[in-house]
Amino acid sequence: MQPSATAIGARATQYNSLNIVLARAARVADLIAEKSEYQSAASGSAPTEWTQLYGEAKTLWAFCAWELVRHFGDVPFGYENKYVEEYELISRFDIMDQIMDELKAVESRMYVLGQGGITAERLSRSFANALIGEIALHAGGWQTIRTDVPGLYGNVQFEYKGTDDGTCVYARRQDYQDYIRIAEEYLNIAVNTQNGTAKLITTDSRAANNPFQKHWQEINSRRVSEESLFEIGCIAGVANCEHPYSMGRPGSNSSAMSILNTFAAIRIIPTFFYNAFEPGDKRRDASMVVTGSNAATGQESLMPLGVGTRIGGGGPSINKWDQNRGDIPAFPNAANRSSGMNYTVMRMADAMLMLAEAKAILGSDNAGAVNLVNQIRARAFGNSEHNISGLSGEALLDAIYDERRLELVGEGDSLWDMIRSGKLNERAVAVRKEMTEMAAGLEANGYYTFPSGRTISNYIWTKQVQVGGSSTAVVTQECTDELDPALYPGWRGIHNWGAVAHTATAKNLAIKGLYSYIDPNGTEAAALEADGYTRQEWGIRIWNDVNAKAMFNAAILDGVVGRENQAPRYFHQMPVTVIDQSNGKVTNGYGLPQQ
């Protein structure tokens, strides 16, 4: 969100890689189209292996083209596999139109999930329809557009939020409803008519009985989930996977068990950790965690609310990807980045909530939107007692965006949701205000109680224990017993990796005071310390640690500060070679560097 703080080459690898795959996919599609087998198959009306392969190449092209536009904005486009001496910026709206047209031309000749042996590790008609819907939803949503390139967007007319800073402005095209109707049409196809074997997981035969967590149990166990519309396949033991290394539950950097070297760059904002989920929501513990894996000792360790990587700091993290969690954990002698966990690009809950969003924006089927949200909520709580009702307009849209942030936390969607909602600045300011109020309460009183009823305190108390009395029963499941400090919060612990260095017999971590205040000078604290608990700094670091204060400030959309009435600047920069070789026709916008 701070373009002037970035270097021009910071995203060159990503920009170039997307263009390379886009060009290869286009070339493969052209080669298939030339084959007599494909031409014969294409003359029929039913999908065949050849039309499926052609559709996969086109869908891969579309997927990379969409990610290119989404992350880089208006870019040179349509030049792949051609010799060119001059090129220029192309309007993102023209690019999105072209992507959707290409997908519409092939989706009906592709297999739905389950047909023709197609799984979610392949590109299917089911995903192609959902991808059209997602792109259309963004095309009709609010976004930051350039104002420093006259005529870039042709005849497209816009409505605006806030002021133009001379380089960009927050805008939505005036004919946005046309695109939202496309989104509703194709997301409905993906969810209801061409979903194939993909479905929302609503039952769980395991003792845990948490259908939401079951999807992640499948991913952690290196199986394709029936909720997935598309997963990028990864191979266990081969260094090709960032789950959980950069995105999952943290570990430590130790030669004793290198598979547990999990950097975990994505963390949970403390106010979200304490206040976002209602009591009884089974997604909370399956999504967030305050402990990680100590590879050196084989123990579960607390992650302090301060500066640090892996288990050394950073505070709560994403809990959806965990090396310990699989039914059969990954090879203990494998290197990091080799877990074999697939990337879930889109799952059914995401598509359902996007469909609800489209319906709510159009206002033509509010009941349908509410029903989709309630299916997600019924799964989350295990009953219908938390269903929403009677909402429409902005209230319904806000409920949908709130549900998406709960359901999809850590999956890379919340920022995009808030951008297209037109409310990114307001949401960012509100979160920063919550953090400020929490820090003030911690400094003044030693604790701060949120509207949820949960309390964050300056200190908590921890103790190494052994769950179940066995050195192998250490990965805990869901727990609702708030009085059990070793099991609550749930979905944590550590697998018994059996490394020679792992001689500790007490592998689990009991935590007291995580959600309620314990007076550090009181009798309860004294009793805990007499029982072997150790007092740990927790909330105090948020206000009393200069480095931690700076970290949390910078991490929470700091680029919005001072630009509350101007467009959020979220795009990445194109590489210097793209600019230098364009003969002056291509530049970076949004305050991004040119050299």
Side-chain angles (χ1 to χ4, degrees):
M1 304 295 290
Q2 298 185 62
S4 61
T6 62
I8 192 167
R11 291 293 179 267
T13 298
Q14 289 85 347
Y15 181 91
N16 292 333
S17 295
L18 281 170
N19 276 288
I20 288 168
V21 179
L22 190 153
R24 289 177 176 174
R27 179 60 179 148
V28 169
D30 290 343
L31 289 171
I32 293 173
E34 294 172 359
K35 291 186 175 291
S36 59
E37 295 92 337
Y38 168 76
Q39 294 170 3
S40 175
S43 64
S45 58
T48 69
E49 290 185 355
W50 280 103
T51 61
Q52 165 65 23
L53 283 172
Y54 181 75
E56 284 192 81
K58 283 291 189 180
T59 304
L60 180 58
W61 172 89
F63 176 61
C64 290
W66 164 229
E67 292 300 327
L68 188 68
V69 172
R70 188 190 338 212
H71 290 279
F72 294 91
D74 311 289
V75 295
F77 190 79
Y79 300 104
E80 63 267 16
N81 302 317
K82 299 173 184 176
Y83 179 80
V84 295
E85 292 184 334
E86 289 189 357
Y87 51 88
E88 59 186 359
L89 290 176
I90 305 298
S91 162
R92 79 189 65 171
F93 297 101
D94 290 343
I95 297 172
M96 287 188 281
D97 283 345
Q98 183 180 343
I99 297 171
M100 288 186 285
D101 286 344
E102 295 280 2
L103 286 169
K104 290 175 184 177
V106 299
E107 55 87 17
S108 66
R109 308 301 307 281
M110 297 174 69
Y111 292 137
V112 299
L113 280 169
Q115 187 179 12
I118 297 298
T119 72
E121 288 184 312
R122 296 275 296 274
L123 292 152
S124 65
R125 180 179 186 181
S126 308
F127 175 70
N129 281 300
L131 185 58
I132 294 171
E134 180 183 57
I135 296 169
L137 196 61
H138 282 267
W142 291 93
Q143 53 202 286
T144 298
I145 63 171
R146 294 181 67 164
T147 56
D148 60 336
V149 184
L152 177 59
Y153 303 114
N155 296 323
V156 179
Q157 299 296 308
F158 298 99
E159 54 183 298
Y160 303 100
K161 276 181 178 285
T163 60
D164 182 354
D165 70 355
T167 65
C168 58
V169 67
Y170 214 5
R172 178 172 68 177
R173 55 188 305 157
Q174 290 183 1
D175 59 352
Y176 71 94
Q177 289 197 3
D178 293 341
Y179 287 87
I180 304 303
R181 291 188 188 97
I182 295 171
E184 182 185 30
E185 176 186 357
Y186 281 92
L187 287 166
N188 180 66
I189 293 171
V191 170
N192 293 314
T193 61
Q194 300 296 341
N195 58 302
T197 55
K199 64 179 183 179
L200 185 73
I201 299 174
T202 57
T203 60
D204 184 4
S205 60
R206 303 172 305 161
N209 190 24
N210 188 337
F212 170 81
Q213 193 275 341
K214 186 178 179 183
H215 167 77
W216 304 109
Q217 191 70 27
E218 295 295 289
I219 299 300
N220 285 306
S221 299
R222 303 185 300 283
R223 294 188 293 264
V224 176
S225 170
E226 59 187 344
E227 185 163 323
S228 295
L229 287 163
F230 178 42
E231 296 180 8
I232 296 177
C234 295
I235 303 170
V238 177
N240 67 341
C241 182
E242 288 297 308
H243 287 335
Y245 177 76
S246 65
M247 307 170 194
R249 185 178 176 216
S252 64
N253 190 1
S254 170
S255 59
M257 190 61 59
S258 59
I259 193 69
L260 294 180
N261 178 6
T262 304
F263 184 83
I266 301 176
R267 299 303 177 101
I268 299 291
I269 296 171
T271 52
F272 184 90
F273 179 81
Y274 276 90
N275 196 47
F277 288 92
E278 298 173 49
D281 193 327
K282 296 183 178 182
R283 295 173 294 191
R284 188 191 67 179
D285 292 347
S287 299
M288 311 182 299
V289 67
V290 297
T291 64
S293 309
N294 190 324
T297 65
Q299 293 177 304
E300 178 185 16
S301 296
L302 180 72
M303 298 175 297
L305 267 171
V307 174
T309 60
R310 300 177 173 86
I311 60 172
S317 79
I318 305 301
N319 199 29
K320 291 177 174 177
W321 304 280
D322 179 13
Q323 198 68 75
N324 302 281
R325 192 67 56 76
D327 293 350
I328 303 175
F331 314 109
N333 60 340
N336 58 66
R337 288 189 168 102
S338 64
S339 69
M341 295 179 192
N342 284 359
Y343 292 88
T344 304
V345 173
M346 187 184 296
R347 56 188 178 92
M348 186 57 74
D350 185 1
M352 290 171 65
L353 289 171
M354 284 194 290
L355 177 57
E357 181 183 345
K359 290 179 179 294
I361 293 171
L362 294 172
S364 56
D365 187 11
N366 291 331
V370 167
N371 177 58
L372 287 161
V373 174
N374 284 338
Q375 290 182 56
I376 304 297
R377 290 183 67 77
R379 174 174 77 166
F381 291 96
N383 55 57
S384 60
E385 295 176 8
H386 297 262
N387 284 7
I388 63 172
S389 63
L391 298 180
S392 62
E394 287 298 310
L396 177 55
L397 274 171
D398 285 343
I400 292 168
Y401 292 130
D402 283 343
E403 203 62 43
R404 284 184 61 81
R405 73 187 185 122
L406 298 174
E407 178 72 22
L408 302 169
V409 58
E411 297 178 53
D413 295 280
S414 293
L415 176 65
W416 303 113
D417 293 347
M418 289 302 98
I419 290 168
R420 70 171 181 269
S421 75
K423 297 182 179 180
L424 177 63
N425 288 356
E426 295 94 316
R427 291 293 182 106
V429 168
V431 171
R432 292 177 66 85
K433 182 173 181 290
E434 289 175 349
M435 284 289 292
T436 299
E437 292 174 349
M438 177 190 68
L442 285 165
E443 183 175 6
N445 305 310
Y447 64 90
Y448 179 81
T449 300
F450 291 90
S452 65
R454 301 185 192 99
T455 296
I456 181 173
S457 305
N458 280 340
Y459 303 100
I460 60 177
W461 283 256
T462 66
K463 176 184 177 180
Q464 295 293 160
V465 298
Q466 185 62 48
V467 170
S470 167
S471 62
T472 58
V474 291
V475 178
T476 66
Q477 304 298 307
E478 184 181 21
C479 178
T480 58
D481 182 3
E482 299 185 23
L483 299 179
D484 191 329
L487 298 180
Y488 186 86
W491 298 117
R492 52 190 183 96
I494 185 170
H495 176 69
N496 182 41
W497 293 98
V500 174
H502 294 173
T503 58
T505 56
K507 292 185 169 66
N508 293 82
L509 192 70
I511 309 172
K512 297 286 286 187
L514 183 63
Y515 292 127
S516 59
Y517 177 66
I518 297 174
D519 183 351
N521 299 312
T523 57
E524 183 177 1
L528 286 171
E529 291 168 15
D531 191 34
Y533 280 83
T534 300
R535 188 177 76 173
Q536 308 280 2
E537 290 188 345
W538 187 241
I540 191 172
R541 294 196 177 186
I542 293 174
W543 62 269
N544 196 35
D545 183 314
V546 173
N547 293 325
K549 288 171 67 176
M551 176 189 74
F552 283 115
N553 181 64
I556 305 174
L557 300 178
D558 191 33
V560 170
V561 177
R563 293 184 57 87
E564 292 86 350
N565 196 41
Q566 295 174 326
R569 298 179 293 184
Y570 50 87
F571 287 115
H572 294 307
Q573 63 275 29
M574 292 175 283
V576 66
T577 52
V578 176
I579 295 172
D580 287 350
Q581 296 172 19
S582 71
N583 294 322
K585 293 186 176 182
V586 175
T587 59
N588 277 318
Y590 322 105
L592 290 163
Q594 307 297 334
Q595 58 184 6

